[in-house]
Amino acid sequence: MKIAVVGATGMVGQIMLKVLEERNFPVTELIPVASEKSIGKKITFKGNEFEIVSMQDALDRKPEIAMFSAGGTTSLEFAPKFAAVGTTVIDNSSAWRMEVDKKLIVPEINANVLTKEDKIIANPNCSTIQLVMVLHPLNQKYDVKRVIVSTYQSVTGTGKNAVDQLNAEVVGNKEVAKVYPYEIFKNALPQCDVFDEDDYTKEEIKLMTEPKKILGDDTFNITATAVRVPVQGGHSESVNIEFENNFDLEEVKALLAETPGVIVLDDVKNNIYPMPLYSEGKDEVFVGRIRRDVSQPKTLNLWIVADNLRKGAATNAVQIAEYLYQNKLV
């Protein structure tokens, strides 16, 4: 399997390489791609050095799979070119997610819809992935009516420059180039991405639209508020879910505990609940603070945490690649 990683020097690209190695994906030839300034530099993968090449060089090699994490503009320009030479593209940007003819995939939920004809496959938004991993089994069992989600998102979701801004501010360096409109240290910014015309941010709109496509269900309502916090380990979400049907709380916990890729951490007597500090570097989605909403019937509160660079991005993309390989779709 010839595998291209486009954006190999970025935060998600580096984790993609790490996850490919950890999960022992059968890479026979690695093709790392990055911006012009990185061409010719070397990266290490499974103990071997590989030279970073240009996009055209990668195209010429016709890899079986190209994993993109280089932004929407790059994906819009080059994903169709890779698809045209027979490569299956797994794209981490938002460029293709809501296109009607493109699949939006979380393997544990809907990988079964993939076919050999799907040459551009969209990887969902990081916050969406951890949300639907929990919503999916609950929706199947109790029929979701409405979801209210508030996020507490890591600076790693914005990229390396945002991490640099936070770390500089921690040590009192106010001269650092700002990625955010305000300081992030000792602060919380109710703005993830840019504002749309209706005063929701693009991140909030992704959270309000992508879950319906992944779950194949547009019968429930969902609203979101996305907040950036001075954290590096992962994204957290406070989620309120109203169901059409009533539920038993212990049954909910048991159902989530049995869900592949989900770990329940819910022992408040011993202060056990999910935290970004605990999720960092892990592939699972963690859920806790599971409790009935006492203000209205058939409604549940819970807290979801995951490493946004791994299950929220790189690991999910590698899992898609694994499904394609295992089912002979590439």
Side-chain angles (χ1 to χ4, degrees):
M1 294 289 289
K2 283 191 284 189
I3 306 294
V5 176
V6 179
T9 59
M11 289 190 78
V12 173
Q14 289 177 20
I15 301 293
M16 280 179 176
L17 293 168
K18 187 175 182 181
V19 174
L20 283 166
E21 185 167 343
E22 287 174 356
R23 296 173 74 95
N24 202 29
F25 189 83
V27 180
T28 53
E29 182 183 337
L30 179 70
I31 308 169
V33 184
S35 60
E36 283 189 20
K37 64 183 180 182
S38 296
I39 292 172
K41 293 180 180 177
K42 303 283 182 67
I43 64 161
T44 302
F45 178 75
K46 289 191 173 180
N48 298 310
E49 283 195 336
F50 294 85
E51 189 172 297
I52 294 170
V53 302
S54 69
M55 197 74 83
Q56 188 58 53
D57 285 340
L59 265 170
D60 291 343
R61 295 193 201 177
K62 298 181 180 179
E64 278 76 28
I65 294 173
M67 302 172 72
F68 272 61
S69 187
T73 303
T74 299
S75 295
L76 286 170
E77 181 180 356
F78 286 101
K81 294 179 180 179
F82 275 89
V85 300
T87 299
T88 300
V89 174
I90 302 169
D91 181 49
N92 199 54
S93 80
S94 60
W96 305 99
R97 290 175 188 156
M98 297 311 296
E99 293 295 316
V100 175
D101 62 340
K102 301 295 185 288
K103 310 284 176 62
L104 185 62
I105 300 297
V106 176
E108 293 92 337
I109 298 171
N110 64 339
N112 62 303
V113 303
L114 291 172
T115 69
K116 284 187 176 182
E117 283 66 50
D118 294 307
K119 288 301 178 187
I120 299 177
I121 301 165
N123 207 35
N125 177 49
C126 46
S127 301
T128 298
I129 291 173
Q130 64 190 75
L131 176 63
V132 296
M133 285 286 290
V134 171
L135 273 187
H136 175 58
L138 298 178
N139 188 40
Q140 288 187 312
K141 181 76 174 178
Y142 307 111
D143 193 4
V144 172
K145 182 178 180 181
R146 185 178 188 226
V147 180
I148 304 168
V149 54
S150 299
T151 72
Y152 305 73
Q153 296 187 213
S154 164
V155 294
T156 57
T158 314
K160 181 181 180 300
N161 291 340
V163 176
D164 290 344
Q165 178 182 337
L166 172 60
N167 289 336
E169 290 172 355
V170 167
V171 296
N173 177 6
K174 301 291 179 71
E175 304 304 313
V176 64
K178 281 188 166 48
V179 176
Y180 301 119
Y182 300 96
E183 290 183 16
I184 185 64
F185 181 52
K186 294 186 177 179
N187 203 8
L189 303 179
Q191 176 186 355
C192 295
D193 212 323
V194 297
F195 287 101
D196 203 22
E197 56 198 27
D198 56 3
D199 293 344
Y200 283 85
T201 63
K202 284 189 175 181
E203 184 78 6
E204 290 160 350
I205 293 167
K206 293 170 192 174
L207 275 162
M208 290 163 15
T209 54
E210 292 180 16
K212 295 183 178 185
K213 182 172 181 178
I214 296 164
L215 299 181
D217 182 357
D218 60 3
T219 64
F220 63 93
N221 295 316
I222 182 167
T223 189
T225 301
V227 181
R228 190 73 62 187
V229 291
V231 165
Q232 285 187 224
H235 291 349
S236 305
E237 297 173 346
S238 171
V239 186
N240 179 271
I241 311 168
E242 182 183 358
F243 298 103
E244 296 286 357
N245 303 308
N246 210 346
F247 58 87
D248 175 79
L249 204 55
E250 291 308 311
E251 186 180 56
V252 166
K253 293 179 182 181
L255 178 64
L256 292 173
E258 293 164 3
T259 301
V262 173
I263 292 179
V264 174
L265 294 177
D266 193 68
D267 180 4
V268 293
K269 290 185 177 65
N270 292 299
N271 298 331
I272 293 173
Y273 35 70
M275 295 179 291
L277 195 66
Y278 182 79
S279 74
E280 189 172 10
K282 298 183 176 72
D283 288 325
E284 295 83 9
V285 172
F286 300 88
V287 59
R289 297 298 319 280
I290 303 166
R291 63 210 187 275
R292 192 176 289 276
D293 181 345
V294 296
S295 72
Q296 69 170 9
K298 303 178 185 176
T299 305
L300 184 72
N301 283 310
L302 40 76
W303 176 253
I304 306 170
V305 179
D307 186 324
N308 54 291
L309 296 180
R310 290 188 67 102
K311 182 55 181 171
T315 301
N316 198 75
V318 173
Q319 287 176 308
I320 294 171
E322 289 172 340
Y323 184 89
L324 295 171
Y325 174 76
Q326 290 161 3
N327 290 276
K328 297 181 171 58
L329 299 179
V330 288

